[in-house]
Amino acid sequence: MALSFYDISVPVFIRGLGQLSHVLDKGLAHAQSAGIDPVEFVNARLAPDMFTLAGQVQSASDASKLGTARIAGIAAPSFPDTETTYAELQDRVAKTIDYLNSVDRALIDGAEGREVTMKVRGAELKFTAQRYLLQFALPNFFFHVTTAYDVLRHSGVPLSKLDYLGRY
């Protein structure tokens, strides 16, 4: 049985967001057990020119919801980037998963050839939906999920590769 376009998009985003939520939970638990203000982790970053943990979570959320909306040919919900606490970050992840679960697979299956246009730094980029998903949306999503993991790991949270990968 061949994989559908839906199968290689929405469930992949949902699983990645689930693991991001798990990693956030471990970060909060570590902060609480070590007597660290969790806001320190929310505001942590790997380098001065990189997003904070909050920015990485917001970007992973955006990458998955915008990626799904673009390949489905629909508008994505807008979430303001105002999260400053673990609870707010977890709520953002949950709202994103809820949105992804609401997208009708019929809008995605068979849409591989749909044109996706996006503006990046003043330039207009055009893709087929398949090329957009495989060469931009998924890599961008996983960059931000991985970087969120890395921010917490760098901050001393005892995370392992299995925390990132989850059960398979």
Side-chain angles (χ1 to χ4, degrees):
M1 180 175 170
L3 289 171
S4 74
F5 197 42
Y6 180 90
D7 291 335
I8 64 169
S9 58
V10 175
V12 175
F13 288 134
I14 291 171
R15 186 174 192 288
L17 289 168
Q19 290 313 118
L20 178 57
S21 177
H22 167 73
V23 166
L24 288 172
D25 282 342
K26 287 199 76 169
L28 179 59
H30 177 73
Q32 291 170 335
S33 71
I36 299 169
D37 182 350
V39 172
E40 285 187 37
F41 291 164
V42 172
N43 294 323
R45 63 180 83 221
L46 291 177
D49 64 341
M50 294 182 77
F51 290 150
T52 62
L53 175 65
Q56 299 300 338
V57 172
Q58 292 159 352
S59 295
S61 164
D62 288 346
S64 61
K65 69 184 174 69
L66 290 170
T68 298
R70 286 178 178 140
I71 64 176
I74 59 176
S78 177
F79 301 159
D81 295 335
T82 57
E83 295 84 7
T84 60
T85 67
Y86 262 88
E88 291 170 343
L89 291 175
Q90 288 288 27
D91 185 54
R92 170 81 174 243
V93 171
K95 286 191 318 188
T96 306
I97 291 171
D98 288 345
Y99 166 70
L100 295 174
N101 278 320
S102 77
V103 176
D104 184 354
R105 76 180 297 136
L107 296 172
I108 295 175
D109 281 340
E112 295 85 349
R114 175 180 283 131
E115 184 177 279
V116 172
T117 304
M118 51 184 282
K119 292 188 185 212
V120 177
R121 297 184 186 126
E124 191 172 86
L125 303 176
K126 293 183 185 256
F127 303 88
T128 63
Q130 180 175 323
R131 193 169 137 246
Y132 167 75
L133 175 69
L134 297 175
Q135 294 181 3
F136 184 85
L138 286 171
N140 185 43
F141 171 73
F142 282 111
F143 172 84
H144 293 292
V145 171
T146 301
T147 305
Y149 170 97
D150 292 341
V151 167
L152 290 170
R153 180 84 168 118
H154 183 73
S155 297
V157 177
L159 295 167
S160 72
K161 186 176 182 178
L162 290 179
D163 290 310
Y164 178 86
L165 293 176
R167 293 186 163 183
Y168 24 95

